[in-house]
Amino acid sequence: MKRTILYIAAALSVFSCKVEDGYYYRQLDSDRLEKYAEGIYLSYVCGELDMMMRLLDIDHFISLSPEEQRESPLAGKVFHVDGNTLVIEQGFSEARISTGGKRLLETGAGWTVENFCSDMGCSYLQPSLLYGEVACKEEGVWEILMRTSDSSECVMEITMTSDDVGRTGKFTVSGHEISSDGYRSVFSNTGDAFSYSIISGSSDITGILSIDIYCRGLLKDWCVITCRGEAGNNIVDYKVSR
């Protein structure tokens, strides 16, 4: 059995765009720019994709019978506090999901998610505590708003086909992050949408992500990441302004 699912996700994460020291602009080497670009890719592309897959898995888990739940990999990690609330164990932390008593697949469902972190981690600088609002607008269409303490945001649109073997599909991503020292990075996929394939826990991602780094409205640096998935390995190439 196959199903096609469209996600529309808006997510915020905690980052620092700082690419200089002191009060003057400092020349950066390519290694520092590549490291910064890698962090955005891991958080906004890999991390957000992973988070969406986990929310789907949790939604499926709560639909199982008690006997089936005991056989699930999520057994002992997902707990019902009451008919409207789930607690998810994440290592040393817990996430809390308010479901309103509805499955995420139901049109009109609205979930709120607190302290949720994806397996990839929500930030490449530090663990992040996220607040999210997830709404099923119509069959197969979700809108997700994620927040942290910073003013970063990301909008992701994912089309997914799922079967008993794995999940494949395409997604677009765009957003920005703003640091406390005034830097703003704007990123988006370039050209065609990203494509992905998640089979037996391994993911292949193919696409191009462009990042422009601004200060006081002026473009200071840029990075372009080209990703290609090969047999469960994500190969990443970088082009940078320095």
Side-chain angles (χ1 to χ4, degrees), residues 4-242:
T4 300
I5 301 176
L6 173 69
Y7 299 93
I8 301 174
L12 293 117
S13 197
V14 178
F15 296 107
S16 172
C17 289
K18 188 170 184 178
V19 290
E20 66 173 284
D21 295 322
Y23 296 99
Y24 60 92
Y25 192 71
R26 166 175 278 188
Q27 297 288 315
L28 295 180
D29 58 33
S30 61
D31 288 342
R32 290 178 65 190
L33 276 173
E34 287 183 10
K35 186 67 175 177
Y36 173 74
E38 179 187 35
I40 289 184
Y41 169 69
L42 290 176
S43 295
Y44 286 119
V45 177
C46 299
E48 295 302 324
L49 180 61
D50 174 71
M51 181 187 71
M52 293 305 306
M53 298 304 104
R54 286 194 65 204
L55 287 177
L56 262 187
D57 290 340
I58 291 168
D59 179 76
H60 175 68
F61 176 82
I62 65 176
S63 74
L64 301 176
S65 67
E67 293 75 18
E68 291 172 324
Q69 287 184 354
R70 284 194 287 269
E71 300 299 320
S72 169
L74 292 179
K77 297 181 180 180
V78 180
F79 303 94
H80 285 269
V81 176
D82 53 43
N84 298 323
T85 308
L86 301 172
V87 169
I88 318 299
E89 288 196 352
Q90 309 176 128
F92 297 106
S93 67
E94 291 183 347
R96 182 173 291 262
I97 299 176
S98 299
T99 66
K102 292 186 176 182
R103 293 277 311 280
L104 193 57
L105 299 176
E106 295 181 46
T107 299
W111 285 18
T112 60
V113 184
E114 298 176 86
N115 300 348
F116 187 89
C117 290
S118 71
D119 288 342
M120 294 295 299
C122 298
S123 168
Y124 61 87
L125 293 180
Q126 62 187 33
S128 298
L129 300 181
L130 300 182
Y131 170 82
E133 298 175 1
V134 184
C136 183
K137 308 302 289 184
E138 58 185 271
E139 183 178 358
V141 179
W142 288 262
E143 290 182 353
I144 296 94
L145 172 64
M146 303 293 289
R147 290 192 179 98
T148 64
S149 59
D150 207 347
S151 55
S152 305
E153 71 176 13
C154 175
V155 177
M156 181 179 285
E157 179 176 288
I158 303 178
T159 303
M160 188 188 76
T161 300
S162 178
D163 56 28
D164 293 337
V165 176
R167 294 165 174 164
T168 61
K170 294 182 179 294
F171 66 91
T172 60
V173 59
S174 63
H176 69 272
E177 60 176 31
I178 302 174
S179 69
S180 60
D181 51 6
Y183 278 84
R184 174 185 173 93
S185 291
V186 179
F187 57 88
S188 66
N189 62 288
T190 300
D192 295 336
F194 280 94
S195 62
Y196 68 92
S197 174
I198 301 176
I199 308 294
S200 300
S202 296
S203 62
D204 291 338
I205 301 175
T206 300
I208 300 174
L209 185 72
S210 297
I211 306 165
D212 291 329
I213 304 172
Y214 295 86
C215 181
R216 293 183 290 275
L218 299 177
L219 179 64
K220 295 297 186 179
D221 285 303
W222 56 262
C223 314
V224 176
I225 305 175
T226 301
C227 320
R228 62 185 189 278
E230 298 179 359
N233 295 315
N234 287 312
I235 311 301
V236 182
D237 298 320
Y238 298 88
K239 289 180 64 176
V240 295
S241 57
R242 300 176 187 274

